[in-house]
Amino acid sequence: MTQAARTTASTLQTWTTANRPASPYLGQMGWNSSLNQLEVWNGYVWISSVNQSYSISDLIVAGGGGAGYRMGGGGGAGGVTVGFYDYVAGQPTMSLSIGAGGSGAAAGAAGNAGTATTTTYSGVTYTAGGGSGGGLNTSGGAGGVASGGALNINGDSGENGGVMAATSNYQGAGGDTPMGFGFGGEMPVAAAGAVGNSGAGYGGGGSGGRNGTGNTSRAGGAGAAGAVIIEY
């Protein structure tokens, strides 16, 4: 008498996109006949069982600082950070926050700092710090500090403002953003006085206001907003 071996096999579930399991468990796999592919539940969404992981890079620029009032110092530029993520299709999305440029100072005040730009994915965060605001009458703001990335470049500081003589003064230009992404505001040249110029591009610092004839004080220029640039 010949005894035949007995085998058992599990049957792979089949479904369409419209009638996938309503309450899937982590790792549940099945054949999607609508898409003609195996797919698996990763705890968030259904993804193809074929590896769909790929690298992305992001370049983030923070907001530039606003400039100071009346012979004000220029605002510092935002920092720049370049980072890399291993992105897996279907995983939680990247979160990001784009920094605003700081406002220029009004009467008798220093400029306001720009805010940081950040990106976060799968627990990893990259940060480009905002530029500091320019000081009232004198010092320029410090550039923003970048951290966490594969490449971190701090923003340029704004130039100082001040007095050259009893009837002559100067104001600081805004700081430039690294890698040419933004430019600081230029110094006003009108003898009668002028408000400071705003930063240009992404993350440029504003320039200080120029005191005019008759001691007419002027407001500082605003810093430029930051940005996030993603490549994949």
Side-chain angles (χ1 to χ4, degrees):
M1 181 176 67
T2 302
Q3 187 174 25
R6 298 178 62 188
T7 60
T8 60
S10 60
T11 302
L12 184 69
Q13 288 183 275
T14 299
W15 52 67
T16 65
T17 299
N19 67 1
R20 286 168 168 155
S23 300
Y25 55 84
L26 183 65
Q28 183 172 358
M29 181 178 290
W31 178 260
N32 187 321
S33 59
S34 301
L35 303 176
N36 290 321
Q37 66 179 22
L38 284 172
E39 59 184 15
V40 63
W41 179 253
N42 70 354
Y44 299 96
V45 295
W46 292 100
I47 63 171
S48 168
S49 61
V50 177
N51 182 20
Q52 293 188 11
S53 175
Y54 53 93
S55 294
I56 62 175
S57 65
D58 66 3
L59 185 149
I60 63 177
V61 183
Y69 180 79
R70 186 174 180 268
M71 299 174 289
V80 172
T81 296
V82 178
F84 299 91
Y85 297 103
D86 288 325
Y87 177 79
V88 179
Q91 292 294 319
T93 57
M94 176 189 292
S95 62
L96 57 88
S97 175
I98 298 176
S103 58
N112 295 293
T115 54
T117 295
T118 62
T119 60
T120 300
Y121 176 74
S122 192
V124 178
T125 298
Y126 300 131
T127 302
S132 297
L136 170 65
N137 294 345
T138 53
S139 59
V145 177
S147 63
L151 176 64
N152 304 295
I153 310 175
N154 296 342
D156 290 345
S157 296
E159 296 179 353
N160 295 338
V163 178
M164 292 185 292
T167 59
S168 179
N169 63 79
Y170 62 97
Q171 56 290 317
D176 292 338
T177 310
M179 303 172 67
F181 285 100
F183 303 95
E186 296 293 331
M187 297 181 292
V189 295
V195 297
N197 292 308
S198 299
Y202 300 124
S207 71
R210 175 166 181 164
N211 223 28
T213 304
N215 201 34
T216 303
S217 299
R218 304 290 183 170
V228 174
I229 301 170
I230 297 175
E231 295 183 349
Y232 58 92

